Amino acid sequence: MNTESALATLAALAHPTRLQAFRLLVTHEPDGLPTGALVEASALTQSTFSTHLAVLAKAGLVTAEKRGRQQIQRASIVALRDIMIFLAKDCCQGRPELCDALLAELSCG
Protein backbone atom coordinates (compact mmCIF):
# COMPACT_ATOMS: atom_id res chain seq x y z
CA MET A 1 0.00 0.00 0.00
CA ASN A 2 1.27 3.44 -0.86
CA THR A 3 0.45 6.82 0.66
CA GLU A 4 -2.16 7.65 -1.98
CA SER A 5 -4.14 4.44 -1.48
CA ALA A 6 -3.82 4.77 2.30
CA LEU A 7 -5.30 8.26 2.12
CA ALA A 8 -8.18 7.01 -0.03
CA THR A 9 -8.87 4.21 2.44
CA LEU A 10 -8.75 6.48 5.47
CA ALA A 11 -10.89 9.13 3.75
CA ALA A 12 -13.51 6.50 2.92
CA LEU A 13 -13.67 5.44 6.56
CA ALA A 14 -13.68 9.02 7.87
CA HIS A 15 -17.46 9.31 7.83
CA PRO A 16 -19.74 7.86 10.53
CA THR A 17 -22.09 6.12 8.08
CA ARG A 18 -19.29 4.53 6.08
CA LEU A 19 -17.36 3.46 9.15
CA GLN A 20 -20.49 1.92 10.67
CA ALA A 21 -21.28 0.07 7.43
CA PHE A 22 -17.73 -1.24 7.08
CA ARG A 23 -17.61 -2.39 10.71
CA LEU A 24 -20.96 -4.15 10.26
CA LEU A 25 -19.72 -5.89 7.13
CA VAL A 26 -16.54 -7.03 8.86
CA THR A 27 -18.64 -8.74 11.54
CA HIS A 28 -20.56 -10.58 8.80
CA GLU A 29 -17.56 -11.97 6.94
CA PRO A 30 -17.32 -14.21 5.02
CA ASP A 31 -21.01 -14.25 4.11
CA GLY A 32 -21.56 -10.50 3.70
CA LEU A 33 -24.89 -8.72 3.90
CA PRO A 34 -27.54 -7.76 1.38
CA THR A 35 -27.47 -4.08 0.48
CA GLY A 36 -30.99 -3.72 1.88
CA ALA A 37 -29.82 -4.82 5.34
CA LEU A 38 -27.08 -2.20 5.27
CA VAL A 39 -29.56 0.47 4.22
CA GLU A 40 -31.88 -0.50 7.08
CA ALA A 41 -29.02 -0.41 9.59
CA SER A 42 -28.03 3.06 8.41
CA ALA A 43 -31.56 4.51 8.59
CA LEU A 44 -30.82 6.40 5.37
CA THR A 45 -32.58 6.31 2.03
CA GLN A 46 -31.35 3.83 -0.56
CA SER A 47 -29.96 6.58 -2.79
CA THR A 48 -28.12 8.34 0.04
CA PHE A 49 -26.64 5.11 1.30
CA SER A 50 -25.61 4.08 -2.22
CA THR A 51 -23.37 7.14 -2.37
CA HIS A 52 -21.58 6.02 0.78
CA LEU A 53 -21.30 2.47 -0.49
CA ALA A 54 -19.75 3.73 -3.73
CA VAL A 55 -17.04 5.56 -1.76
CA LEU A 56 -16.21 2.37 0.16
CA ALA A 57 -16.14 0.35 -3.05
CA LYS A 58 -13.91 2.88 -4.85
CA ALA A 59 -11.43 2.67 -1.96
CA GLY A 60 -11.42 -1.13 -2.27
CA LEU A 61 -12.95 -1.66 1.15
CA VAL A 62 -16.19 -3.26 -0.05
CA THR A 63 -17.03 -5.57 -2.91
CA ALA A 64 -20.41 -6.65 -4.21
CA GLU A 65 -21.56 -9.94 -5.63
CA LYS A 66 -24.90 -10.82 -7.06
CA ARG A 67 -26.75 -13.72 -5.44
CA GLY A 68 -30.06 -14.26 -7.13
CA ARG A 69 -31.87 -10.95 -6.95
CA GLN A 70 -29.75 -9.55 -4.14
CA GLN A 71 -26.51 -7.64 -4.13
CA ILE A 72 -24.37 -8.98 -1.30
CA GLN A 73 -21.81 -6.55 0.07
CA ARG A 74 -18.61 -7.87 1.59
CA ALA A 75 -15.83 -6.18 3.51
CA SER A 76 -12.34 -6.59 2.13
CA ILE A 77 -10.37 -8.05 5.00
CA VAL A 78 -7.25 -7.76 2.84
CA ALA A 79 -7.79 -3.99 2.51
CA LEU A 80 -8.33 -3.74 6.27
CA ARG A 81 -5.13 -5.66 6.97
CA ASP A 82 -3.22 -3.58 4.39
CA ILE A 83 -4.16 -0.25 5.97
CA MET A 84 -3.35 -1.54 9.44
CA ILE A 85 0.08 -2.78 8.33
CA PHE A 86 0.73 0.45 6.43
CA LEU A 87 -0.05 2.54 9.51
CA ALA A 88 2.00 0.36 11.83
CA LYS A 89 5.03 0.34 9.55
CA ASP A 90 4.78 4.07 8.86
CA CYS A 91 4.24 5.10 12.48
CA CYS A 92 6.92 2.82 13.90
CA GLN A 93 9.78 3.75 11.59
CA GLY A 94 12.92 4.03 13.62
CA ARG A 95 11.39 2.15 16.59
CA PRO A 96 10.51 -1.32 15.26
CA GLU A 97 10.27 -2.77 18.75
CA LEU A 98 7.03 -0.80 19.16
CA CYS A 99 5.28 -2.60 16.34
CA ASP A 100 7.07 -5.91 15.71
CA ALA A 101 4.46 -8.02 17.50
CA LEU A 102 1.57 -6.17 15.85
CA LEU A 103 3.08 -6.45 12.39
CA ALA A 104 3.80 -10.16 12.88
CA GLU A 105 0.21 -10.79 13.93
CA LEU A 106 -1.23 -8.79 11.02
CA SER A 107 1.05 -10.49 8.50
CA CYS A 108 -0.08 -13.96 9.51
CA GLY A 109 -3.49 -13.61 7.84
Side-chain angles (χ1 to χ4, degrees):
M1 176 169 279
N2 59 35
T3 300
E4 187 175 316
S5 60
L7 288 171
T9 299
L10 293 170
L13 294 172
H15 186 281
T17 298
R18 293 191 294 266
L19 182 59
Q20 175 191 11
F22 184 72
R23 291 177 70 193
L24 183 58
L25 286 172
V26 167
T27 66
H28 283 84
E29 274 302 301
D31 299 321
L33 281 175
T35 305
L38 289 168
V39 172
E40 285 180 32
S42 73
L44 297 173
T45 65
Q46 174 79 33
S47 60
T48 301
F49 185 80
S50 291
T51 302
H52 291 294
L53 196 56
V55 172
L56 291 169
K58 184 175 180 183
L61 290 163
V62 174
T63 58
E65 68 180 63
K66 191 156 177 84
R67 286 191 206 149
R69 293 182 176 200
Q70 292 185 327
Q71 283 284 92
I72 304 299
Q73 305 297 326
R74 295 196 52 218
S76 172
I77 301 304
V78 170
L80 175 59
R81 186 175 56 235
D82 287 350
I83 190 63
M84 293 172 75
I85 290 171
F86 175 85
L87 290 172
K89 282 183 177 179
D90 189 55
C91 293
C92 296
Q93 287 179 354
R95 303 263 330 263
E97 71 279 4
L98 296 174
C99 298
D100 280 346
L102 173 64
L103 288 170
E105 191 172 330
L106 289 170
S107 296
C108 290

